[in-house]
Amino acid sequence: MIFGFSSCVLIGIWCMYQEGVEEYDDLQEYAEEETKNDAPAADGEKLATIDFKALQEINGEVVAWIRCEALGLDYPVVQGEDNEYYLDHTFTGEEHSGGCIFMDCRNTPDFSDDNTILYGHNRKDGSMFGSFGMSLEGEVTVQVYTPQGLNTYQAVDNRIIGASEEPYYRTSLEKEQFAILSSAVSVHTGIPMHEGEKLLTLSTCNGNDQERHIILCRKTAPQEQTETAGSESAIEIITEPVPEPENTAPAVMEASE
């Protein structure tokens, strides 16, 4: 009886995962890779054409499409009125534990803030942000398509942080706040940060409500920059959180999926 019950539970979980996977597989028809000369981007990754008009007819809250070959990311991004709804609702509005990748409700949807924050579940099947536990070597490029155009980012930090490491969850970074974040990145990776850079923070749960797993990225578009510290190196998983400031980050993505 116990074996039969356990089998039913496992089958139910598998079916639930499949439902989520199938929905996002179906949405791939709206994100087609350009075929002309394989359309390589400057960073070597292929470009895509995103049909935002069709996506907006399905969900008017779509703001972007995120792609990263190294992380297995190829998903639409939405922005709700709060940071709760898309924790358990898919792109089409179906109630599902897989949810949808979504932008922090405080952000400007055109990715023009100092720091744009995207949340996604840490799925055990590796979907959504379930690939963050892997070690990333060399340059990792994240492409973010919006109705206004393509934003390209380079991953600079991939690690576990304390849930209250507040600078990572600010949409606007003053000089002092940027210095705190820059120092943390430099200590753990040796990668230099530059004041005034536009950042992208990808955030997921870590099975511990006192921690978050983040991948911090910086926009690669040319801009005036002032180097703060460090030197280039490979990105590795770092599990020691830096000292936590008093303020706390938004209480989202607490449960591991």
Side-chain angles (χ1 to χ4, degrees), residues 163-231:
S164 60
E165 290 191 46
E166 178 256 0
Y168 289 93
Y169 294 96
R170 278 184 173 270
T171 60
S172 178
L173 293 168
E174 297 178 1
K175 186 173 183 178
E176 181 179 353
Q177 296 151 356
F178 186 90
I180 294 172
L181 188 151
S182 175
S183 177
V185 172
S186 180
V187 166
H188 288 97
T189 69
I191 294 178
M193 297 289 290
H194 309 283
E195 187 176 342
E197 288 187 296
K198 297 294 184 182
L199 304 179
L200 174 69
T201 298
L202 308 179
S203 177
T204 190
C205 50
N206 187 49
N208 182 337
D209 61 7
Q210 299 302 310
E211 296 178 339
R212 298 289 186 271
H213 195 151
I214 62 97
I215 292 182
L216 181 69
C217 311
R218 62 181 175 195
K219 196 170 183 179
T220 59
Q223 53 187 300
E224 289 189 11
Q225 301 170 333
T226 302
E227 185 172 312
T228 57
S231 60

Side-chain angles (χ1 to χ4, degrees), residues 70 135-141 154-156 191 232-236:
S135 180
L136 303 180
E137 300 294 336
E139 291 191 4
V140 174
T141 300
Q154 176 193 5
V156 294
I191 294 178
E232 297 290 343
S233 71
I235 302 168
E236 298 179 350

Side-chain angles (χ1 to χ4, degrees), residues 23 37-38 41 63 68 102 105 114-115 119 129 134 143 178 193 219 245 249 255:
E23 175 178 320
N37 297 325
D38 289 332
V63 293
C68 177
F102 64 94
C105 63
D114 295 338
N115 182 29
Y119 302 101
F129 287 173
M134 64 191 299
Q143 297 175 330
F178 186 90
M193 297 289 290
K219 196 170 183 179

Side-chain angles (χ1 to χ4, degrees), residues 82-144:
D82 54 45
N83 288 339
E84 302 294 330
Y85 180 79
Y86 285 107
L87 288 173
D88 54 14
H89 287 81
T90 65
F91 182 81
T92 60
E94 295 295 322
E95 191 168 350
H96 191 282
S97 63
C100 186
I101 294 176
F102 64 94
M103 178 186 289
D104 194 296
C105 63
R106 301 168 300 163
N107 273 123
T108 305
D110 64 359
F111 288 76
S112 61
D113 291 323
D114 295 338
N115 182 29
T116 300
I117 308 156
L118 303 185
Y119 302 101
H121 278 300
N122 183 5
R123 303 290 285 173
K124 293 179 180 179
D125 64 351
S127 61
M128 295 297 175
F129 287 173
S131 61
F132 282 20
M134 64 191 299
S135 180
L136 303 180
E137 300 294 336
E139 291 191 4
V140 174
T141 300
V142 178
Q143 297 175 330
V144 177

